[in-house]
Amino acid sequence: MDAALAQLSADRGFGSLSLREVAREAGIAPTSFYRHFAELDELGLALVDEGGVALRQLMRQARKRIARDGSAISTSVDTFMEYLGNNANLFRLMLRERTGVSKPFRTAVKAEIDHFVTELADDLRRFADEQNKPLSDARVVAEAMVTLVFNQGAEALDATAREREELKAKLKTELRMILVGSQALAARA
């Protein structure tokens, strides 16, 4: 899996990898690849799963930091940007395969995003209850936030450090706007 990730870049997607290249990078014979995966796509799906699991685990850690430091949006955005810095190729894989030609890949990425949205919606409901600030629809808010974060994440991948800081500030403002807007809609209802 590490060998495949090492070959991904801004200019090279999973679809351009060959089994021989991955095996060579891993230091194994091409036939030994089949001891681990039935085909290259199975490796790709395992990478998508790993990317989703890693991101959810990191966001769970962010929840602990939020409890300690406060500012849920700021802490979450900072944590996500740390994830990008440490997992750029994994995130690129998820971005590309989200709209790629392979239905199994699109389905796997959608499932990972849905897991993330569900966890965020649960957090938003809990936050709304604790703060006595109801939301109009926590699931819709979570979907909007995740879409925005993924889009800004795509921008941040190739950004300079200064551009990344600007993107973080912009993203924090946009997420606050979504949250406050949902609270305002709930107050009108």
Side-chain angles (χ1 to χ4, degrees):
M1 289 174 63
D2 290 340
L5 275 179
Q7 294 181 17
L8 299 178
S9 68
D11 301 321
R12 187 160 193 218
F14 187 82
S16 69
L17 296 182
S18 75
L19 186 144
R20 288 190 182 284
E21 290 173 313
V22 172
R24 186 177 328 116
E25 179 75 20
I28 62 173
T31 53
S32 297
F33 174 89
Y34 296 108
R35 291 185 194 144
H36 305 282
F37 299 99
E39 59 183 8
L40 204 54
D41 280 353
E42 187 178 317
L43 167 65
L45 292 171
L47 288 170
V48 168
D49 182 59
E50 180 178 303
V53 168
L55 183 55
R56 287 195 311 276
Q57 287 174 342
L58 197 62
M59 296 315 289
R60 286 181 193 127
Q61 292 172 358
R63 287 185 202 106
K64 292 175 186 172
R65 288 169 55 188
I66 291 165
R68 184 184 68 234
D69 303 334
S71 186
I73 287 176
S74 184
T75 301
S76 296
V77 169
D78 291 345
T79 301
F80 177 74
M81 290 299 181
E82 289 170 20
Y83 169 84
L84 280 184
N86 296 325
N87 299 282
N89 286 343
L90 207 46
F91 189 71
R92 276 191 180 96
L93 173 73
M94 291 180 70
L95 282 174
R96 283 188 181 126
E97 300 307 328
R98 182 179 183 190
T99 58
V101 296
S102 168
K103 184 172 171 93
F105 274 100
R106 288 193 314 270
T107 302
V109 172
K110 182 181 181 324
E112 292 302 327
I113 291 171
D114 285 346
H115 289 310
F116 194 65
V117 167
T118 298
E119 286 189 17
L120 179 57
D122 291 342
D123 288 344
L124 289 168
R125 283 185 201 96
R126 194 170 26 262
F127 169 79
D129 291 344
E130 289 170 1
Q131 301 294 318
N132 197 25
K133 293 180 179 179
L135 301 174
S136 61
D137 186 331
R139 177 82 187 184
V140 171
V141 172
E143 288 172 354
M145 288 179 155
V146 169
T147 298
L148 187 60
V149 167
F150 264 68
N151 288 341
Q152 292 291 7
E155 292 293 319
L157 280 172
D158 298 315
T160 64
R162 190 180 122 271
E163 292 168 336
R164 191 174 281 204
E165 287 302 314
E166 290 171 2
L167 280 169
K168 280 171 54 174
K170 179 182 173 188
L171 181 57
K172 290 173 185 179
T173 299
E174 291 169 335
L175 293 172
R176 284 186 185 102
M177 291 173 135
I178 292 170
L179 188 61
V180 170
S182 178
Q183 291 167 342
L185 285 171
R188 285 187 186 169

CSV table of all heavy atoms in Angstrom, one decimal, residues 73 127 133-136 141 145 173-187:
chain,number,residue,atom,x,y,z
A,73,ILE,N,-14.7,24.7,15.2
A,73,ILE,CA,-14.4,24.9,13.8
A,73,ILE,C,-12.9,25.1,13.6
A,73,ILE,O,-12.3,24.5,12.7
A,73,ILE,CB,-15.2,26.1,13.2
A,73,ILE,CG1,-16.7,25.6,13.1
A,73,ILE,CG2,-14.7,26.6,11.9
A,73,ILE,CD1,-17.7,26.7,12.6
A,127,PHE,N,-23.6,19.4,19.8
A,127,PHE,CA,-23.1,20.8,20.0
A,127,PHE,C,-24.4,21.7,20.1
A,127,PHE,O,-24.5,22.5,21.0
A,127,PHE,CB,-22.2,21.3,18.9
A,127,PHE,CG,-22.0,22.7,18.8
A,127,PHE,CD1,-21.0,23.3,19.7
A,127,PHE,CD2,-22.7,23.6,18.0
A,127,PHE,CE1,-20.8,24.7,19.7
A,127,PHE,CE2,-22.4,24.9,17.9
A,127,PHE,CZ,-21.5,25.5,18.8
A,133,LYS,N,-28.6,25.9,20.9
A,133,LYS,CA,-28.6,26.6,19.6
A,133,LYS,C,-29.0,25.6,18.6
A,133,LYS,O,-28.2,25.1,17.9
A,133,LYS,CB,-27.3,27.3,19.3
A,133,LYS,CG,-26.9,28.4,20.2
A,133,LYS,CD,-25.6,29.0,19.8
A,133,LYS,CE,-25.2,30.1,20.7
A,133,LYS,NZ,-23.9,30.7,20.3
A,134,PRO,N,-30.3,25.4,18.4
A,134,PRO,CA,-30.8,24.4,17.5
A,134,PRO,C,-30.3,24.7,16.0
A,134,PRO,O,-30.2,25.8,15.6
A,134,PRO,CB,-32.3,24.4,17.6
A,134,PRO,CG,-32.6,25.4,18.6
A,134,PRO,CD,-31.4,26.1,19.1
A,135,LEU,N,-30.2,23.6,15.3
A,135,LEU,CA,-29.9,23.7,13.8
A,135,LEU,C,-31.1,23.3,13.0
A,135,LEU,O,-31.9,22.5,13.5
A,135,LEU,CB,-28.7,22.8,13.5
A,135,LEU,CG,-27.4,23.0,14.2
A,135,LEU,CD1,-26.4,21.9,13.9
A,135,LEU,CD2,-26.8,24.4,13.9
A,136,SER,N,-31.2,23.9,11.8
A,136,SER,CA,-32.4,23.5,11.0
A,136,SER,C,-32.3,22.1,10.5
A,136,SER,O,-33.3,21.4,10.5
A,136,SER,CB,-32.4,24.5,9.8
A,136,SER,OG,-31.3,24.4,9.0
A,141,VAL,N,-26.3,20.4,7.2
A,141,VAL,CA,-25.2,21.2,7.6
A,141,VAL,C,-23.9,20.4,7.4
A,141,VAL,O,-22.9,20.9,6.9
A,141,VAL,CB,-25.4,21.8,9.0
A,141,VAL,CG1,-24.2,22.5,9.5
A,141,VAL,CG2,-26.6,22.7,9.1
A,145,MET,N,-20.8,21.3,5.0
A,145,MET,CA,-19.4,21.5,5.6
A,145,MET,C,-18.4,20.5,5.0
A,145,MET,O,-17.3,20.9,4.7
A,145,MET,CB,-19.5,21.3,7.1
A,145,MET,CG,-20.2,22.5,7.8
A,145,MET,SD,-20.2,22.2,9.6
A,145,MET,CE,-20.3,23.9,10.2
A,173,THR,N,-14.1,30.8,8.2
A,173,THR,CA,-15.2,31.8,8.1
A,173,THR,C,-16.4,31.2,7.4
A,173,THR,O,-17.6,31.3,7.8
A,173,THR,CB,-14.7,33.0,7.3
A,173,THR,OG1,-13.7,33.6,8.1
A,173,THR,CG2,-15.9,34.0,7.1
A,174,GLU,N,-16.2,30.4,6.3
A,174,GLU,CA,-17.2,29.8,5.6
A,174,GLU,C,-18.0,28.8,6.4
A,174,GLU,O,-19.2,28.7,6.4
A,174,GLU,CB,-16.7,29.2,4.3
A,174,GLU,CG,-16.2,30.2,3.3
A,174,GLU,CD,-15.4,29.5,2.2
A,174,GLU,OE1,-14.8,28.4,2.3
A,174,GLU,OE2,-15.3,30.1,1.1
A,175,LEU,N,-17.3,28.0,7.2
A,175,LEU,CA,-17.9,27.0,8.0
A,175,LEU,C,-18.8,27.7,9.1
A,175,LEU,O,-19.9,27.2,9.4
A,175,LEU,CB,-16.9,26.1,8.7
A,175,LEU,CG,-16.2,25.1,7.7
A,175,LEU,CD1,-15.0,24.4,8.4
A,175,LEU,CD2,-17.1,24.2,7.0
A,176,ARG,N,-18.3,28.8,9.7
A,176,ARG,CA,-19.0,29.5,10.7
A,176,ARG,C,-20.3,30.1,10.0
A,176,ARG,O,-21.4,30.1,10.7
A,176,ARG,CB,-18.2,30.6,11.3
A,176,ARG,CG,-17.2,30.2,12.3
A,176,ARG,CD,-16.5,31.3,13.0
A,176,ARG,NE,-15.4,30.7,13.8
A,176,ARG,CZ,-14.1,30.7,13.5
A,176,ARG,NH1,-13.7,31.2,12.4
A,176,ARG,NH2,-13.3,30.2,14.4
A,177,MET,N,-20.2,30.5,8.8
A,177,MET,CA,-21.4,31.1,8.1
A,177,MET,C,-22.5,30.0,7.9
A,177,MET,O,-23.6,30.2,8.1
A,177,MET,CB,-21.0,31.6,6.7
A,177,MET,CG,-20.2,32.9,6.8
A,177,MET,SD,-19.6,33.4,5.2
A,177,MET,CE,-20.0,35.1,5.2
A,178,ILE,N,-22.0,28.8,7.5
A,178,ILE,CA,-23.0,27.7,7.4
A,178,ILE,C,-23.6,27.4,8.7
A,178,ILE,O,-24.9,27.2,8.8
A,178,ILE,CB,-22.3,26.4,6.9
A,178,ILE,CG1,-21.8,26.6,5.4
A,178,ILE,CG2,-23.2,25.2,7.0
A,178,ILE,CD1,-20.9,25.5,4.9
A,179,LEU,N,-22.9,27.3,9.8
A,179,LEU,CA,-23.4,27.0,11.1
A,179,LEU,C,-24.4,28.1,11.6
A,179,LEU,O,-25.5,27.8,12.0
A,179,LEU,CB,-22.2,26.8,12.1
A,179,LEU,CG,-22.6,26.3,13.5
A,179,LEU,CD1,-23.3,24.9,13.4
A,179,LEU,CD2,-21.4,26.3,14.4
A,180,VAL,N,-24.0,29.3,11.5
A,180,VAL,CA,-24.8,30.4,12.0
A,180,VAL,C,-26.1,30.5,11.1
A,180,VAL,O,-27.2,30.8,11.6
A,180,VAL,CB,-24.0,31.8,12.0
A,180,VAL,CG1,-24.9,33.0,12.2
A,180,VAL,CG2,-22.9,31.7,13.0
A,181,GLY,N,-25.9,30.3,9.8
A,181,GLY,CA,-27.1,30.3,8.9
A,181,GLY,C,-28.1,29.2,9.3
A,181,GLY,O,-29.3,29.5,9.3
A,182,SER,N,-27.6,28.0,9.6
A,182,SER,CA,-28.5,27.0,10.0
A,182,SER,C,-29.2,27.3,11.4
A,182,SER,O,-30.4,27.0,11.5
A,182,SER,CB,-27.7,25.7,10.2
A,182,SER,OG,-28.6,24.6,10.6
A,183,GLN,N,-28.4,27.9,12.3
A,183,GLN,CA,-29.0,28.4,13.5
A,183,GLN,C,-30.1,29.4,13.3
A,183,GLN,O,-31.2,29.4,13.9
A,183,GLN,CB,-27.9,28.9,14.5
A,183,GLN,CG,-27.0,27.8,15.0
A,183,GLN,CD,-25.8,28.4,15.7
A,183,GLN,OE1,-25.4,29.5,15.5
A,183,GLN,NE2,-25.1,27.5,16.4
A,184,ALA,N,-29.9,30.3,12.4
A,184,ALA,CA,-30.8,31.4,12.1
A,184,ALA,C,-32.1,30.8,11.4
A,184,ALA,O,-33.2,31.2,11.8
A,184,ALA,CB,-30.2,32.4,11.1
A,185,LEU,N,-31.9,29.8,10.6
A,185,LEU,CA,-33.1,29.1,10.0
A,185,LEU,C,-33.9,28.4,11.0
A,185,LEU,O,-35.1,28.4,11.0
A,185,LEU,CB,-32.6,28.2,8.9
A,185,LEU,CG,-32.2,28.8,7.6
A,185,LEU,CD1,-31.5,27.7,6.7
A,185,LEU,CD2,-33.3,29.4,6.8
A,186,ALA,N,-33.2,27.8,11.9
A,186,ALA,CA,-33.9,27.0,13.0
A,186,ALA,C,-34.7,28.0,13.9
A,186,ALA,O,-35.8,27.7,14.4
A,186,ALA,CB,-33.0,26.2,13.8
A,187,ALA,N,-34.1,29.2,14.1
A,187,ALA,CA,-34.8,30.2,15.0
A,187,ALA,C,-36.0,30.7,14.3
A,187,ALA,O,-37.0,31.1,15.0
A,187,ALA,CB,-33.8,31.3,15.3
